[in-house]
Amino acid sequence: MTVNDIANILEELAPLAHAEDFDNVGLLVGEPTTTVSGVLVTLDTLEDVVDEAIAKKCNLIVSFHPIIFKGLKRLTGSNYVERVVLKAIRHNIAIYCMHTALDNSKMGVNAKICEVLGIQNPQILIPRKGAIKKLVTYAPLADADTVKSALFAAGAGEIGKYSNCSFNLDGLGSFKAGDDANPTIGKIGESHVEKETQINVIYSFEKEKNILKALFESHPYEEVAYEVTTLENANQDLGMGMIGTLATEMEEKTFLAFVKDRMNASVVRHSEFLGRKVRKVAVLGGSGAFAITAAKQAKADVFISADIKYHDFFQAENQLLIADIGHFETEQFTKDLLVDYLTKKIPNFAVSLSESITNPIKYL
C-alpha cells in the first residue's frame, strides 16, 4: 500500500475537508506514492517518535496533532519542529496529520471519550453549520432513475442513517437548440417541450466535486440545468464535542473521581459543585472553553474539556459543573481509536501504537 492508499482510508473516517480553516492537516512530510512498510500512530510527532518509527521500520507516522502548524521559513534544526521534519526527511518517513478533521468526526476524538466514560447515546454538541448543500436538477422522465442512481453512488442523498434520499417532481421543461448545438432530444432551431423530473438531493459539502461529476456523466443532455445552494441546516453528524447520558446518575464528586481514574488524569480542575446529581455529560477533547455556552444550552450537568482559563470557569454560572482534566488526557485515547480503525480496515498490515508519551506537562 502507498501513503495515499492509507490516507484515503483515514479520510473515510475523517475527511480533511471537515477540518477547521485554521488547521494544517493531511500529508505534511513525504510523498503520496511512497510504498508503506509500516504505520506508527501517535498523538504528537516528536523526535522520540521518529526514532521509534525508525526502530520499528515504519515509514509512515499517522499523527493527531500537526508537527507543522505555522509556516516554516527555514529548515536549520534550530527548534524541535525543524529537527523532527529534517529527521523524517532524512529517513524517508512520511507524516500524516488528522487533528480537527478527527475532532469533527462523529466517530472521532469525542466519541472515544464517550466510550471510555460510558456515556450513552452521544450526539454532536456543536453541529457544523453551512456544511449541507442541496442540488436541484432536471432530467427527462426516462433518464431520471439513471441520474439519481449516479448521484446516490457519489454520496448524494445521505441523511443520518438513511441513504438514497431525494424529492422528485414531474413537470415540463422547454428549450430551443442553437445552430451549433448537438441536442439529445428535439431539433435545432425548434422550441421543444419535454416531460422531465425535478430531482432534489442534499449532500455534505466535501462530496460536491464527485457529485457534480456524476451528474454530468449520467445526464443525457448536452447542457445540464442544475442549481446548488448551501443550506442553513446544521449537520448533526459533523461538529465539535459530544453530549450524552450516563447509565446511572452519580454524585458530582464521585463522578469527577471516576473521570480522573478512567482518563488517567493527574488532577481535575473544576468549577464549584452545585449539589446535584450528574446524568447528562458534555465532552470536548483539547481546548474547549468555546463550547461552555453550548454545553449550558444543551442542559449538560457537567462539561469535560481542557485548557480552561481562570475567567472561563465563571461561565458555569451555577448552571453546570466545568471540569478541566488536561489537554493530553482528553486526547490520549485517540491513538487507540486510530490503531483499532486501521487494523480493521487493513488487518494484514503492520500498524503500531506509539509507546512514546508525548505529554509536555508534568505534575508534582
mmCIF file of all heavy atoms in Angstrom, residues 2 14 33 71 82 86 90 103 117-118 120 133 135 144 146 160 174 226 240 259-260 271 285 297 326-327:
data_model
loop_
_atom_site.group_PDB
_atom_site.id
_atom_site.type_symbol
_atom_site.label_atom_id
_atom_site.label_comp_id
_atom_site.label_asym_id
_atom_site.label_seq_id
_atom_site.Cartn_x
_atom_site.Cartn_y
_atom_site.Cartn_z
ATOM 1 N N THR A 2 0.348 2.299 -0.583
ATOM 2 C CA THR A 2 1.077 3.561 -0.613
ATOM 3 C C THR A 2 0.565 4.493 0.494
ATOM 4 O O THR A 2 -0.476 4.235 1.115
ATOM 5 C CB THR A 2 0.902 4.268 -1.960
ATOM 6 O OG1 THR A 2 -0.485 4.640 -2.111
ATOM 7 C CG2 THR A 2 1.329 3.374 -3.112
ATOM 8 N N ALA A 14 -12.350 10.506 8.689
ATOM 9 C CA ALA A 14 -12.279 11.942 8.949
ATOM 10 C C ALA A 14 -11.827 12.674 7.680
ATOM 11 O O ALA A 14 -10.627 12.912 7.500
ATOM 12 C CB ALA A 14 -11.325 12.224 10.103
ATOM 13 N N THR A 33 3.075 8.738 -3.133
ATOM 14 C CA THR A 33 3.257 7.483 -3.882
ATOM 15 C C THR A 33 4.209 6.503 -3.196
ATOM 16 O O THR A 33 4.420 5.392 -3.689
ATOM 17 C CB THR A 33 3.789 7.786 -5.294
ATOM 18 O OG1 THR A 33 5.005 8.553 -5.186
ATOM 19 C CG2 THR A 33 2.763 8.576 -6.096
ATOM 20 N N GLY A 71 3.689 28.383 9.226
ATOM 21 C CA GLY A 71 4.577 28.256 8.083
ATOM 22 C C GLY A 71 6.039 28.185 8.471
ATOM 23 O O GLY A 71 6.503 28.932 9.343
ATOM 24 N N GLU A 82 11.613 21.887 13.394
ATOM 25 C CA GLU A 82 12.551 21.728 12.280
ATOM 26 C C GLU A 82 13.354 20.434 12.415
ATOM 27 O O GLU A 82 13.613 19.753 11.417
ATOM 28 C CB GLU A 82 13.488 22.931 12.221
ATOM 29 C CG GLU A 82 12.781 24.236 11.855
ATOM 30 C CD GLU A 82 13.721 25.427 11.863
ATOM 31 O OE1 GLU A 82 14.950 25.215 11.841
ATOM 32 O OE2 GLU A 82 13.233 26.571 11.900
ATOM 33 N N LEU A 86 13.336 17.487 9.604
ATOM 34 C CA LEU A 86 14.605 17.093 8.985
ATOM 35 C C LEU A 86 14.884 15.607 9.186
ATOM 36 O O LEU A 86 15.286 14.907 8.253
ATOM 37 C CB LEU A 86 15.751 17.922 9.574
ATOM 38 C CG LEU A 86 15.876 19.363 9.063
ATOM 39 C CD1 LEU A 86 16.889 20.137 9.898
ATOM 40 C CD2 LEU A 86 16.272 19.375 7.598
ATOM 41 N N ARG A 90 15.243 12.805 6.264
ATOM 42 C CA ARG A 90 16.491 12.023 6.118
ATOM 43 C C ARG A 90 16.219 10.526 6.081
ATOM 44 O O ARG A 90 16.922 9.768 5.392
ATOM 45 C CB ARG A 90 17.439 12.329 7.280
ATOM 46 C CG ARG A 90 18.077 13.705 7.247
ATOM 47 C CD ARG A 90 19.220 13.786 8.245
ATOM 48 N NE ARG A 90 19.644 15.153 8.484
ATOM 49 C CZ ARG A 90 19.359 15.859 9.562
ATOM 50 N NH1 ARG A 90 18.645 15.303 10.536
ATOM 51 N NH2 ARG A 90 19.783 17.101 9.702
ATOM 52 N N ASP A 103 -11.451 15.663 15.139
ATOM 53 C CA ASP A 103 -12.255 16.304 16.182
ATOM 54 C C ASP A 103 -13.709 16.421 15.736
ATOM 55 O O ASP A 103 -14.637 16.261 16.530
ATOM 56 C CB ASP A 103 -11.732 17.720 16.478
ATOM 57 C CG ASP A 103 -10.529 17.727 17.408
ATOM 58 O OD1 ASP A 103 -10.490 16.901 18.331
ATOM 59 O OD2 ASP A 103 -9.640 18.570 17.209
ATOM 60 N N LEU A 117 -15.747 6.766 29.018
ATOM 61 C CA LEU A 117 -16.515 7.166 30.199
ATOM 62 C C LEU A 117 -17.896 6.502 30.272
ATOM 63 O O LEU A 117 -18.646 6.744 31.220
ATOM 64 C CB LEU A 117 -16.688 8.687 30.212
ATOM 65 C CG LEU A 117 -15.403 9.501 30.399
ATOM 66 C CD1 LEU A 117 -15.723 10.991 30.375
ATOM 67 C CD2 LEU A 117 -14.699 9.139 31.699
ATOM 68 N N GLY A 118 -18.233 5.691 29.290
ATOM 69 C CA GLY A 118 -19.523 5.016 29.309
ATOM 70 C C GLY A 118 -20.698 5.944 29.089
ATOM 71 O O GLY A 118 -21.798 5.698 29.596
ATOM 72 N N GLN A 120 -23.683 7.244 27.121
ATOM 73 C CA GLN A 120 -24.567 6.579 26.169
ATOM 74 C C GLN A 120 -25.261 7.571 25.228
ATOM 75 O O GLN A 120 -25.464 8.728 25.559
ATOM 76 C CB GLN A 120 -25.613 5.766 26.935
ATOM 77 C CG GLN A 120 -25.006 4.709 27.844
ATOM 78 C CD GLN A 120 -26.052 3.927 28.609
ATOM 79 O OE1 GLN A 120 -27.183 4.367 28.776
ATOM 80 N NE2 GLN A 120 -25.676 2.748 29.087
ATOM 81 N N LYS A 133 -25.335 20.934 1.538
ATOM 82 C CA LYS A 133 -25.722 21.592 0.295
ATOM 83 C C LYS A 133 -26.882 20.846 -0.356
ATOM 84 O O LYS A 133 -27.143 19.673 -0.061
ATOM 85 C CB LYS A 133 -24.531 21.665 -0.661
ATOM 86 C CG LYS A 133 -23.433 22.604 -0.173
ATOM 87 C CD LYS A 133 -22.499 22.998 -1.298
ATOM 88 C CE LYS A 133 -21.550 24.099 -0.867
ATOM 89 N NZ LYS A 133 -20.756 24.612 -2.005
ATOM 90 N N LEU A 135 -28.696 20.061 -4.159
ATOM 91 C CA LEU A 135 -28.623 20.066 -5.622
ATOM 92 C C LEU A 135 -30.024 19.868 -6.185
ATOM 93 O O LEU A 135 -30.736 18.952 -5.779
ATOM 94 C CB LEU A 135 -27.708 18.946 -6.112
ATOM 95 C CG LEU A 135 -27.729 18.656 -7.616
ATOM 96 C CD1 LEU A 135 -27.118 19.816 -8.400
ATOM 97 C CD2 LEU A 135 -26.996 17.357 -7.936
ATOM 98 N N ALA A 144 -34.408 9.786 -15.450
ATOM 99 C CA ALA A 144 -34.361 10.287 -14.073
ATOM 100 C C ALA A 144 -33.755 9.264 -13.109
ATOM 101 O O ALA A 144 -32.920 9.601 -12.268
ATOM 102 C CB ALA A 144 -35.757 10.693 -13.603
ATOM 103 N N THR A 146 -31.677 6.825 -13.740
ATOM 104 C CA THR A 146 -30.248 6.663 -14.018
ATOM 105 C C THR A 146 -29.450 7.796 -13.378
ATOM 106 O O THR A 146 -28.406 7.570 -12.761
ATOM 107 C CB THR A 146 -29.998 6.653 -15.540
ATOM 108 O OG1 THR A 146 -30.694 5.552 -16.118
ATOM 109 C CG2 THR A 146 -28.511 6.540 -15.843
ATOM 110 N N GLY A 160 -28.329 11.156 7.895
ATOM 111 C CA GLY A 160 -28.242 10.328 9.094
ATOM 112 C C GLY A 160 -28.048 8.865 8.754
ATOM 113 O O GLY A 160 -27.104 8.495 8.061
ATOM 114 N N SER A 174 -38.682 23.272 -21.160
ATOM 115 C CA SER A 174 -38.706 23.749 -22.547
ATOM 116 C C SER A 174 -37.352 24.331 -22.930
ATOM 117 O O SER A 174 -36.627 24.860 -22.075
ATOM 118 C CB SER A 174 -39.796 24.812 -22.721
ATOM 119 O OG SER A 174 -39.523 25.949 -21.921
ATOM 120 N N TYR A 226 -28.878 22.852 -13.563
ATOM 121 C CA TYR A 226 -28.813 22.464 -12.153
ATOM 122 C C TYR A 226 -28.608 23.701 -11.283
ATOM 123 O O TYR A 226 -28.156 24.753 -11.738
ATOM 124 C CB TYR A 226 -27.691 21.454 -11.915
ATOM 125 C CG TYR A 226 -26.286 22.011 -12.035
ATOM 126 C CD1 TYR A 226 -25.557 22.368 -10.894
ATOM 127 C CD2 TYR A 226 -25.687 22.189 -13.280
ATOM 128 C CE1 TYR A 226 -24.271 22.885 -11.001
ATOM 129 C CE2 TYR A 226 -24.405 22.703 -13.391
ATOM 130 C CZ TYR A 226 -23.701 23.037 -12.250
ATOM 131 O OH TYR A 226 -22.442 23.561 -12.355
ATOM 132 N N MET A 240 -18.151 19.788 16.602
ATOM 133 C CA MET A 240 -17.286 19.726 17.773
ATOM 134 C C MET A 240 -18.026 19.239 19.023
ATOM 135 O O MET A 240 -19.165 19.639 19.276
ATOM 136 C CB MET A 240 -16.703 21.107 18.057
ATOM 137 C CG MET A 240 -15.632 21.533 17.071
ATOM 138 S SD MET A 240 -14.090 20.644 17.414
ATOM 139 C CE MET A 240 -13.024 21.359 16.159
ATOM 140 N N VAL A 259 -14.029 10.062 36.519
ATOM 141 C CA VAL A 259 -13.403 10.622 35.316
ATOM 142 C C VAL A 259 -11.887 10.636 35.475
ATOM 143 O O VAL A 259 -11.147 10.262 34.548
ATOM 144 C CB VAL A 259 -13.925 12.051 35.045
ATOM 145 C CG1 VAL A 259 -13.116 12.720 33.927
ATOM 146 C CG2 VAL A 259 -15.399 12.014 34.675
ATOM 147 N N LYS A 260 -11.408 11.074 36.627
ATOM 148 C CA LYS A 260 -9.968 11.137 36.881
ATOM 149 C C LYS A 260 -9.329 9.765 36.720
ATOM 150 O O LYS A 260 -8.259 9.616 36.124
ATOM 151 C CB LYS A 260 -9.717 11.682 38.292
ATOM 152 C CG LYS A 260 -8.253 11.844 38.638
ATOM 153 C CD LYS A 260 -8.080 12.430 40.040
ATOM 154 C CE LYS A 260 -6.603 12.576 40.396
ATOM 155 N NZ LYS A 260 -6.420 13.121 41.770
ATOM 156 N N SER A 271 -15.111 23.810 38.430
ATOM 157 C CA SER A 271 -15.879 24.908 38.995
ATOM 158 C C SER A 271 -16.584 24.424 40.264
ATOM 159 O O SER A 271 -16.468 23.258 40.646
ATOM 160 C CB SER A 271 -16.891 25.428 37.971
ATOM 161 O OG SER A 271 -17.776 24.389 37.575
ATOM 162 N N GLY A 285 -12.650 17.133 23.486
ATOM 163 C CA GLY A 285 -11.220 16.893 23.610
ATOM 164 C C GLY A 285 -10.404 18.106 23.222
ATOM 165 O O GLY A 285 -10.747 18.820 22.273
ATOM 166 N N GLN A 297 -26.505 25.380 27.077
ATOM 167 C CA GLN A 297 -27.742 25.385 26.287
ATOM 168 C C GLN A 297 -28.307 23.978 26.115
ATOM 169 O O GLN A 297 -29.526 23.791 26.018
ATOM 170 C CB GLN A 297 -27.493 26.029 24.930
ATOM 171 C CG GLN A 297 -27.217 27.523 25.001
ATOM 172 C CD GLN A 297 -26.815 28.116 23.665
ATOM 173 O OE1 GLN A 297 -26.421 27.391 22.739
ATOM 174 N NE2 GLN A 297 -26.888 29.437 23.540
ATOM 175 N N GLY A 326 -7.103 18.230 31.524
ATOM 176 C CA GLY A 326 -5.821 18.276 30.824
ATOM 177 C C GLY A 326 -5.954 17.987 29.338
ATOM 178 O O GLY A 326 -6.761 17.146 28.927
ATOM 179 N N HIS A 327 -5.177 18.703 28.530
ATOM 180 C CA HIS A 327 -5.251 18.577 27.073
ATOM 181 C C HIS A 327 -4.863 17.163 26.623
ATOM 182 O O HIS A 327 -5.617 16.495 25.905
ATOM 183 C CB HIS A 327 -4.323 19.620 26.443
ATOM 184 C CG HIS A 327 -4.575 19.846 24.989
ATOM 185 N ND1 HIS A 327 -4.916 21.079 24.475
ATOM 186 C CD2 HIS A 327 -4.538 19.002 23.915
ATOM 187 C CE1 HIS A 327 -5.078 20.975 23.163
ATOM 188 N NE2 HIS A 327 -4.842 19.727 22.809
#
